[in-house]
C-alpha cells in the first residue's frame, strides 16, 4: 500500500509543452483497490449522522449512495425529521468539503393504508421542494408507495428471474424485528 501512496509525480502538458514535474503530497491513484476501503472510513461519520438516536430516521448506505427512511404518525412529521437530518448532513459536508446533489433526491411515502395519510406531503430542503414520486429504485429494487407485497409492484431491475418475497414493514414484530414503530405509523423514504 505504501508504494501506491509515495513518490508520485504529475506534470501538465499543453500545446506540446511539458511543465515541470510536481510531487503529489496527498491522495491515492485513480482506480486503486484501496479506494473503496478508505471511502468507508471517510463516509462512516455521515452514516452515523443518518442514524440519529433522537430522531425516527434510519440511514442505509452503500458506497456513496445513502437512503434515509423515517417513520412516524404523520407524513409531515416524517418530512420534518428528514429535513433535520439533512441539515446535519450538510454540516458534515461543509466540514469535509463534500457536496450533495439534492436534484437527485427522491421522496416516497410508504404505507399499507394510503387513505389515512397525506401522500402528497412535500420535503423542503432549503429553496428546493421535493414532491413524492411513484417509483424509487434502491440497490436495484423498485419500490412503489403502497406496500402490497405483490411481484407486480416490486420487481428487480436485474436480468435474473426474481421471485416475490414478503417484505417486512418497518416495526413489524417477530423474530427479525424491524424499526421501533407501531402498525399505524407511516414510513417515508428519501
Amino acid at each position: 500500500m505504501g508504494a501506491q501512496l509515495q513518490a508520485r509525480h504529475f506534470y501538465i502538458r499543453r500545446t506540446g509543452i511539458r511543465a515541470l514535474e510536481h510531487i503529489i503530497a496527498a491522495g491515492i491513484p485513480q482506480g486503486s483497490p484501496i479506494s473503496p476501503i478508505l471511502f468507508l472510513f471517510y463516509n462512516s461519520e455521515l452514516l452515523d449522522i443518518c442514524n440519529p438516536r433522537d430522531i425516527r430516521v434510519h440511514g442505509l448506505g452503500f458506497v456513496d449512495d445513502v437512503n434515509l427512511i423515517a417513520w412516524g404518525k404523520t407524513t409531515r412529521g416524517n418530512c420534518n425529521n428528514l429535513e433535520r437530518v439533512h441539515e446535519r448532513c450538510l454540516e458534515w459536508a461543509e466540514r469535509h468539503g463534500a457536496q450533495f446533489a439534492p436534484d437527485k433526491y427522491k421522496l416516497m411515502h410508504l404505507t399499507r393504508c394510503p387513505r389515512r395519510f397525506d401522500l402528497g406531503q412535500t420535503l423542503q430542503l432549503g429553496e428546493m421542494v421535493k414532491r413524492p414520486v411513484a417509483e424509487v429504485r434502491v440497490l436495484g429494487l423498485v419500490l412503489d408507495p403502497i406496500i402490497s407485497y405483490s411481484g407486480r409492484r416490486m420487481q428487480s431491475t436485474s436480468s435474473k428471474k426474481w421471485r416475490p418475497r414478503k417484505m417486512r414493514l418497518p416495526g413489524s414484530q417477530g423474530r427479525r424485528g424491524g424499526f421501533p414503530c407501531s402498525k399505524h405509523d407511516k414510513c417515508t423514504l428519501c
Side-chain angles (χ1 to χ4, degrees), residues 126-140:
E127 299 294 318
M128 183 176 290
V129 175
K130 299 304 286 187
R131 301 192 187 295
V133 296
E135 179 179 290
V136 173
R137 293 177 188 217
V138 178
L139 297 177

Side-chain angles (χ1 to χ4, degrees), residues 29-189:
Q30 180 107 16
S32 170
I34 64 170
S35 294
I37 296 165
L38 293 176
F39 188 78
L40 290 175
F41 288 113
Y42 170 76
N43 210 25
S44 67
E45 182 186 356
L46 177 62
L47 291 175
D48 289 342
I49 290 168
C50 292
N51 289 287
R53 295 179 188 264
D54 61 326
I55 303 174
R56 295 175 85 172
V57 172
H58 184 75
L60 309 164
F62 182 75
V63 189
D64 65 345
D65 189 13
V66 177
N67 298 281
L68 299 176
I69 187 165
W71 62 97
K73 301 288 184 205
T74 67
T75 52
R76 180 67 256 156
N78 289 344
C79 287
N80 287 343
N81 287 341
L82 289 168
E83 290 163 6
R84 288 172 59 196
V85 170
H86 186 258
E87 286 299 317
R88 294 177 184 184
C89 291
L90 291 177
E91 291 169 7
W92 174 88
E94 180 71 26
R95 285 193 313 271
H96 295 282
Q99 291 185 346
F100 296 114
D103 54 308
K104 293 183 180 180
Y105 294 2
K106 304 284 186 222
L107 173 68
M108 177 181 281
H109 302 291
L110 305 171
T111 185
R112 285 194 246 173
C113 306
R115 292 184 186 107
R116 296 179 73 185
F117 301 99
D118 176 11
L119 300 183
Q121 184 63 57
T122 60
L123 186 66
Q124 182 77 40
L125 303 172
E127 299 294 318
M128 183 176 290
V129 175
K130 299 304 286 187
R131 301 192 187 295
V133 296
E135 179 179 290
V136 173
R137 293 177 188 217
V138 178
L139 297 177
L141 183 67
V142 178
L143 302 177
D144 73 330
I146 299 172
I147 300 172
S148 63
Y149 303 128
S150 76
R152 167 175 62 80
R153 293 189 182 269
M154 293 173 35
Q155 50 190 281
S156 172
T157 57
S158 71
S159 59
K160 295 180 182 176
K161 184 172 171 119
W162 185 81
R163 294 177 20 203
R165 290 190 177 145
K166 202 169 191 178
M167 275 182 51
R168 297 185 69 78
L169 249 184
S172 54
Q173 301 304 312
R175 291 180 301 162
R176 297 178 195 227
F179 295 109
C181 57
S182 75
K183 66 181 180 179
H184 301 294
D185 283 353
K186 173 78 192 80
C187 294
T188 300
L189 179 71

